[in-house]
Amino acid sequence: MKIALITDDGQTISQHFGRAQNYLVATIENGQVVQREMRSKLGHNHFANEEHAEHAPDQPHGFDPASHNRHTGMAQAIADCQAIICGGMGAGAYESMRVLNIQPIVTDLHDIEEALKAYISGQLIDHTEKLH
């Protein structure tokens, strides 16, 4: 299985899914990380020239079709991953990942190694209260 971790430096987990520059993709076999690969990630700056769609009053920010399309673009580089770990993300991005069959996990851990160990052992907590 492959999991993606949001990072700028390859060592710490970025606190914001949309602003991070990279994914660290870890391949896990038999409870061990057997391969790591840095992949570039589209971020908010790639969509800066696009107009943000106005969302309906009953629709929270990030849930409109244009936002989902941006989230899908950000996820293209990790389409082969089963999960994504980050320090924070919007609720719309979280739901978009779920729709794309990538399990989003928002963690309070900062160290990638610590998060990988927690994920592999089934101890990584999804802090959905950190969604914005």
Side-chain angles (χ1 to χ4, degrees):
M1 97 177 306
K2 292 185 180 184
I3 62 169
L5 297 101
I6 298 296
T7 186
D8 289 315
D9 62 10
Q11 309 215 359
T12 57
I13 297 171
S14 176
Q15 296 305 297
H16 194 283
F17 167 72
R19 293 187 186 116
Q21 298 176 2
N22 301 297
Y23 296 109
L24 174 71
V25 175
T27 303
I28 301 169
E29 294 177 3
N30 301 316
Q32 299 290 321
V33 176
V34 296
Q35 183 179 351
R36 295 164 194 263
E37 173 189 0
M38 288 289 280
R39 298 182 187 175
S40 294
K41 177 191 156 300
L42 293 179
H44 284 305
N45 59 325
H46 291 91
F47 305 105
N49 293 329
E50 291 183 16
E51 288 189 35
H52 280 53
E54 292 294 322
H55 55 83
D58 62 337
Q59 185 179 48
H61 175 75
F63 284 86
D64 59 274
S67 292
H68 178 69
N69 287 341
R70 284 191 292 276
H71 301 148
T72 299
M74 290 180 196
Q76 285 178 347
I78 58 164
D80 59 337
C81 294
Q82 287 73 43
I84 182 169
I85 299 171
C86 65
M89 70 183 353
Y94 188 92
E95 187 58 31
S96 289
M97 294 303 110
R98 290 173 39 119
V99 168
L100 296 168
N101 293 316
I102 300 172
Q103 176 193 11
I105 302 168
V106 180
T107 183
D108 59 354
L109 300 176
H110 298 282
D111 182 71
I112 284 179
E113 294 307 314
E114 189 179 350
L116 282 169
K117 287 177 187 173
Y119 181 84
I120 290 168
S121 69
Q123 303 299 311
L124 191 62
I125 298 168
D126 187 13
H127 287 279
T128 55
E129 74 277 4
K130 292 181 74 171
L131 294 175
H132 51 274

